[in-house]
Amino acid sequence: MKVVFLETVEGSGTRGEVRTVANGYARNYLLPRGLAAAATPALLRRAETLAAQEEERQRLLDGQAHELVGKLEGQRLIMPVRVGEQGRLYGSVTNADIAEKAGEILGEELDRRRVLLPEAIRQVGVYTVPLRLSRNVTADAEIVVVDVEAPEGVEDAAEALVAEAAAAEAGVEAGVDTPEPTNTEDVPEPGYSDSSEEASGEDAPPSQDGADTGDAAAT
């Protein structure tokens, strides 16, 4: 069914957009909720105006999101948790937990669905998690999951984890940028034979016919 979106539906369409969607999706979800309407000629004429209004609304939302990015810059989201053996957590850190902690820094509530965490965190360490602050603005948040009962204290334990992660990353980068040396002493150059006799052809037996060499190379 061809519809005009009256409201933005994440993953489906934006306000004023004209799209063809599955009949069942339109009849059972979009139309009953007033999120879209059948694309009649009159509504199609309104679609451009709706799209312009949505673009302006999105521009304002993006501006607000950029202000939130500024608040997050240089900030670490430290998550003190109870930890068992080998750094594994009792429980996990979820997108709801991160949204709550980020909201404390941003000064406003953050919808947990804006935390793009692929799976719950179950190990202490440093993680980079994207926060979608608007449709067009995403910021990376540094999450430090640390033992709440660390002997040196939560803040010092978090600093130690960050330093350890930075050192590990630097080591990986150094390994990539500095490849292992290759021993080329015994590797002959292309087209060169290490047998001077064969290279000169003085003692090499004559070919039986002109095709032998080519057949050997092909094999």
Side-chain angles (χ1 to χ4, degrees):
M1 177 184 292
K2 191 174 185 179
V3 300
V4 176
F5 280 86
L6 305 178
E7 300 292 341
T8 296
V9 179
E10 193 70 31
S12 296
T14 59
R15 189 167 188 253
E17 185 176 4
V18 180
R19 295 191 65 177
T20 298
V21 300
N23 289 342
Y25 179 52
R27 291 170 179 163
N28 298 328
Y29 182 76
L30 296 177
L31 273 60
R33 289 168 173 78
L35 301 174
T40 62
L43 191 53
L44 286 172
R45 287 193 293 270
R46 284 188 54 206
E48 187 173 343
T49 300
L50 293 174
Q53 292 173 349
E54 174 61 18
E55 184 177 351
E56 176 61 19
R57 187 183 76 90
Q58 191 60 51
R59 186 183 67 79
L60 295 175
L61 291 176
D62 289 345
Q64 295 170 1
H66 282 297
E67 293 180 4
L68 297 180
V69 171
K71 293 181 179 180
L72 287 171
E73 287 180 352
Q75 298 283 349
R76 292 183 185 132
L77 277 62
I78 299 177
M79 313 292 296
V81 294
R82 294 184 63 239
V83 179
E85 296 180 357
Q86 298 180 342
R88 289 191 63 83
L89 312 187
Y90 290 115
S92 62
V93 174
T94 67
N95 58 349
D97 299 322
I98 295 173
E100 182 179 355
K101 182 65 68 172
E104 295 174 5
I105 294 175
L106 298 174
E108 61 182 69
E109 185 177 348
L110 182 68
D111 190 326
R112 63 181 178 81
R113 291 173 295 182
R114 295 189 176 275
V115 179
L116 307 183
L117 183 68
E119 59 182 355
I121 298 172
R122 302 184 184 277
Q123 190 86 18
V124 296
V126 181
Y127 302 85
T128 299
V129 178
L131 306 180
R132 188 179 57 203
L133 302 176
S134 74
R135 190 197 312 159
N136 301 316
V137 179
T138 301
D140 286 336
E142 185 179 44
I143 313 298
V144 185
V145 181
V146 62
D147 187 353
V148 69
E149 298 178 350
E152 66 271 46
V154 169
E155 293 293 333
D156 288 345
E159 289 293 337
L161 284 173
V162 171
E164 182 181 341
E169 184 178 355
V172 170
E173 290 179 353
V176 171
D177 295 338
T178 309
E180 290 292 329
T182 303
N183 185 357
T184 59
E185 291 180 359
D186 299 327
V187 180
E189 296 181 2
Y192 172 79
S193 171
D194 58 358
S195 171
S196 59
E197 292 181 350
E198 290 182 2
S200 63
E202 292 177 358
D203 296 327
S207 173
Q208 296 298 319
D209 57 55
D212 286 351
T213 303
D215 292 342
T219 304

